[in-house]
Every structure is written in C-alpha cells, then in structure tokens.
Amino acid sequence: MRFDVAIVGGGASGVLSAIHLLRAGGAPLRIALIEKRGEPGAGIAYSTRRPEHLLNVTAGRMSAIDADPDHFVRHLIAQAPQSLPAAALASTFAERREYAAYLRATLAQERERSASTLEVIRDEIVAIEREGDLQLASRSGSTLRARCAILALGNWPRALPASSAGVAAAAVLQGWDFAAIAGLDPAHDVLIAGAGLSMVDVVLTLAANRHRGAIHVVSRHALFPLPHARHGGVALDIDALSRLPLSRRILALRRCAREAVARGEPWQWVMDTLRSENAHLWQALSSHEQARFLRHASRYWDIHRHRIPPAAAAVVDAMLHSGQLIRHAGRVASMVPGDGRLRVDIDPTRADDARSIVVDRSINCTGMQSNLERVPDDLVNALLRRGIARRGPHGIGLATDAAGALVDAGGHADPRLSTLGSVRIGQLWESVAIPELRVQAAILADRLGGCLTGGF
C-alpha cells in the first residue's frame, strides 16, 4: 500500500493532522491514518466515558480549526439544540467524551468534502526505514509505503517510582484506566501517586461513586491544580519579559498577578495572556535557565497553567475539607502486599509527614513519561536505536526543527518525517493541549502539502 502521507496514531493529534491535511489545498492526497485501537479520535485523554470528566479548556477555545473558533460550539449546539446560547456555551467546560465524538464528526465531514482520500487502518507501526519512500513496518507484518509521515504518538504514563515486586496487578491501577477506577469498592482505602490532572479525574470518579474510603495523594510537593476563572487577559510586555532571566521573570509575573488582583481581576488572566507566548518565552531562556526551571519551578508553573474547571475544584476542595482526601508531600518508596492490602512506604519531603500508610488499592497518576528512552513503545525505541530520531533538549521528548520535522542522530532534519504534540515539549515546553496541537497540525499540513507538490 502506498500513500502520500501516513499518520501514525489516531488520537487527538493524529485526527487533527488528518483534518488539516484533508482541508489543505493543492493536489489531492492519499492519506493513511494508522491506529491500533481502530476507532480514531479518542486517544488516552478523550477515551473516558465518564460524565464527570470535563475539558480543562472552555468550549469556545477547543475548536479543531484555529481560523474557526466557534466550530466546536456549533457542534455542541447541533447535538443539543435546546442548550445554552452560543455565547454562554462557549464559556462552559464540556464533557470530555463529547470531544472525541466531535473529532470523529469533524473528520467524517472533511472526508466527505475533500478531494483527498483517507484510509483508516487498524494496525500498529513498529519500525520505519528511510530508503526511497518511507517504509512503515506494522505489527501485523505488512509494510506501508509513504512519501512522508506524521508521528502522532500521544502520551505514555510514567511507571510508579517504587518497588512493587510481588504486588498483584489488580492492586495497582493506571490513572487512565477509567473503567477499573469506576469499579473500585467504595469502602476501599486508596493511594493515588501523583497530584496532577489525572489525579483530579480519579478523585472526581470516586466522588461520583460516593466513595467512602480514605483517599491518600502522594506527590513530591503535594500541590494540586488550581481552578480556572472567567477567561480574560491583561497587558503584558512580552518582549521585555522574554529578555529577563528566569528568577526576575518569575518575580515580574508574580507582581503582575498581584496587580491584577488589586484591580479586581483574577490572577488567572496573567496566565491566559501568556498562553500564546509560552513557546517563545521558553525558547528565549538559555539552556541553563531552562534546566533550572525544570528542576525548581515546573511544578509551580503546572498548577497555575494547567488548571481545572471550578466545578471540579469544588469537589476536590470539599473532599480535602472533610478529611477524606489526604495529601502527603513525598514520593512512594515501596509497596509491600500483606493480608490482602498494601503497605506503602513514603519517603517524605517534610519531616512531619507520614512515612507509611496501608491501603487496599494504588493508582498511578504520576503523569506522562517525557524521557522517551523509557517508554515501552517499539516504534520510538526503534527510531532512537537506529538514529532516525534523537532525544530532545534536556533529554525530554524528541528533537525537531521549528516546523516539527524529526532531527536524526547526525543533527539533520528529515522533512519527510514529522511529529507534533507532547514529544515536542523539550523544544516548545507547551505542546500538549488542543490550542497548540491544532496550530501544529495546520503548519505540518501546509508544509507537507508544499513539499509533496514541489518535491522534498
């Protein structure tokens, strides 16, 4: 099978890439979308079927098409015509399961109207060769040929940072295993390792199921994501900010936040203003300053930048206030089974925090693995081993050029082989949310369309 473009991965970033390729002008393309689960559009983030899992960005900012910001809102209205007016609906946080349906519907619409063709293939690519056309070897044993490829690889969960030898698999759940978490015994005491957005998902599901047991959250800083406020912005001198070293930049942002609050504006507006400038601000830091940020400031940045809907924050706060949700600053050092339960030993950050707790189940919410040498993915391992790709700045993600073409071990960017999304965080830092992914997908579609017409 020979295609003009092969998209490897059918999650959100893969479907966005397909949508923008189908919308691109120029000669018709033959496109393959290769997804091992078969049905595109869900991936990990949007595969949930739970109504309590909401988008962390308002509906008015979740369009798949940057030039048409109301696209997702119109979809929601079409699905439920009796819902809120468009202006009010745009400021709400829709259910995440709605977004997977929206991506599939948008993909179907673009397939119908495009002169290009799209074939969805249920398989998994495990290796790529670059002799002539790209040769994409699949798990099933077949080989696809393509003039170029987009690697829409998505995310991989980190392994629990603990020794868990002898612990039954059923006792340690993944934070993205939504069905297993929904099936937990409400009386069980639970440990959640990690305090980010996946932890919030777990807590919301436990609350929806009227969980009665204790819920312990262990993370290095014991910092939870903060809530959104109404969307808005403030005046910031981005050029002046980008010239500051890291410590002075953080002080300047704190001052801006205090001034906003003094004017009666939410501090969140400072972060909203920065949203479109984050990649520029990251790249304006020296490599040394970036490394300092990763060591000392990234978690504080995350809780202010990657916020949660106010309704979700209210549930978390109520469970903290009741004492059912208990947070511990530290890391999970080991898990030891005994008498049908788990003893979890904690290496505490604070001297007065718990050093050992006993629970019935442990849930891994430690976030995504950014060191791709540690992911259990045959394709990524093969690309790194063969030198077709190399690790990104600071050892996180993959190295790319400015448009997303993979940089190989020799430092050369291959325009035929591109990527987008979380594997670009070393270069861009902010590269995981839909507002960034749709822009990256559009840039790749324009670039590949031009290259396919004019030659590489």
Side-chain angles (χ1 to χ4, degrees):
M1 292 182 286
R2 186 175 191 271
F3 298 90
D4 294 304
V5 185
I7 303 170
V8 180
S13 58
V15 171
L16 287 169
S17 298
I19 287 169
H20 284 277
L21 283 168
L22 290 168
R23 290 172 57 87
L29 301 175
R30 189 177 181 206
I31 307 163
L33 179 60
I34 307 145
E35 167 54 46
K36 63 184 178 183
R37 287 176 290 263
E39 183 179 43
I44 291 177
Y46 304 113
S47 62
T48 178
R49 296 292 183 265
R50 302 288 304 182
E52 66 271 13
H53 292 163
L54 306 179
L55 294 171
N56 291 319
V57 177
T58 54
R61 301 166 65 204
M62 287 293 289
S63 170
I65 302 160
D66 201 46
D68 187 358
D70 295 328
H71 196 261
F72 179 50
V73 173
R74 293 199 303 273
H75 167 84
L76 292 175
I77 292 172
Q79 301 307 305
Q82 74 283 3
S83 64
L84 296 170
L89 191 59
S91 63
T92 63
F93 297 87
E95 294 178 8
R96 285 218 307 268
R97 59 185 180 179
E98 289 280 357
Y99 200 73
Y102 162 68
L103 288 176
R104 288 192 289 269
T106 303
L107 183 64
Q109 291 165 2
E110 296 300 337
R111 288 176 81 176
E112 288 179 2
R113 63 172 63 128
S114 178
S116 297
T117 60
L118 175 70
E119 184 172 344
V120 178
I121 299 172
R122 183 169 187 170
D123 212 332
E124 181 181 5
I125 300 303
V126 296
I128 296 176
E129 298 290 343
R130 296 187 294 177
E131 300 297 328
D133 282 348
L134 298 175
Q135 314 286 322
L136 287 76
S138 72
R139 179 77 63 192
S140 67
S142 63
T143 298
L144 287 75
R145 297 169 56 211
R147 296 173 64 192
C148 57
I150 296 174
L151 306 184
L153 300 174
N155 303 308
W156 299 267
R158 282 195 186 103
L160 271 176
S163 171
S164 55
V167 178
V172 182
L173 307 179
Q174 293 298 322
W176 290 329
D177 190 348
F178 305 116
I181 291 164
L184 282 172
D185 186 333
H188 277 168
D189 293 331
V190 173
L191 165 83
I192 303 175
L197 298 177
S198 296
M199 176 276 296
V200 174
D201 277 351
V202 171
V203 170
L204 293 176
T205 295
L206 296 177
N209 287 349
R210 302 189 179 187
H211 197 83
R212 303 187 303 276
I215 305 167
H216 299 269
V217 177
V218 179
S219 74
R220 180 181 166 195
H221 298 95
L223 296 172
F224 285 13
L226 296 170
H228 278 289
R230 67 189 189 278
H231 185 63
V234 298
L236 289 176
D237 188 338
I238 298 298
D239 287 338
L241 199 60
S242 69
R243 291 192 293 270
L244 295 177
L246 178 64
S247 57
R248 290 179 59 195
R249 188 183 295 186
I250 292 173
L251 289 174
L253 290 175
R254 286 175 173 167
R255 183 178 64 253
C256 289
R258 288 195 300 269
E259 291 171 352
V261 171
R263 294 192 299 268
E265 301 168 347
W267 62 262
Q268 289 92 332
W269 285 10
V270 175
M271 306 303 291
D272 291 343
T273 301
L274 291 176
R275 177 66 185 265
S276 62
E277 305 291 342
N278 283 333
H280 166 66
L281 291 170
W282 172 253
Q283 291 170 344
L285 291 172
S286 68
S287 179
H288 173 71
E289 294 273 79
Q290 288 177 353
R292 287 186 63 215
F293 174 89
L294 292 171
R295 285 195 305 271
H296 304 297
S298 61
R299 183 56 188 155
Y300 296 92
W301 173 268
D302 284 345
I303 66 170
H304 290 84
R305 162 66 183 84
H306 299 285
R307 303 189 299 274
I308 58 177
V315 172
V316 173
D317 287 345
M319 296 180 77
L320 282 169
H321 183 72
S322 73
Q324 183 185 15
L325 184 61
I326 308 156
R327 48 183 162 185
H328 308 272
R331 67 177 186 87
V332 175
S334 65
M335 292 187 293
V336 181
D339 299 325
R341 306 191 81 197
L342 292 174
R343 190 191 78 228
V344 181
D345 296 321
I346 300 171
D347 183 7
T349 303
R350 298 187 293 251
D352 60 344
D353 213 328
R355 295 182 179 274
S356 182
I357 56 177
V358 177
V359 297
D360 298 284
R361 294 290 185 271
S362 174
I363 304 172
N364 179 15
C365 292
T366 51
M368 67 180 187
Q369 178 57 264
S370 57
N371 181 350
L372 299 192
E373 290 186 339
R374 298 178 180 175
V375 302
D377 185 277
D378 288 344
L379 176 58
V380 170
N381 292 334
L383 292 172
L384 291 170
R385 186 174 61 252
R386 298 289 304 277
I388 296 172
R390 70 179 185 185
R391 292 168 64 186
H394 311 289
I396 56 179
L398 296 175
T400 69
D401 71 3
L406 282 188
V407 174
D408 63 21
H412 306 293
D414 188 341
R416 299 174 302 164
L417 196 55
S418 303
T419 191
L420 73 167
S422 62
V423 297
R424 298 190 66 195
I425 62 170
Q427 178 194 22
L428 303 176
W429 185 240
E430 294 289 344
S431 189
V432 296
I434 294 297
E436 287 79 46
L437 295 181
R438 68 189 179 207
V439 171
Q440 292 178 27
I443 290 171
L444 285 182
D446 288 343
R447 176 179 181 175
L448 293 181
C451 289
L452 288 168
T453 300
F456 289 97

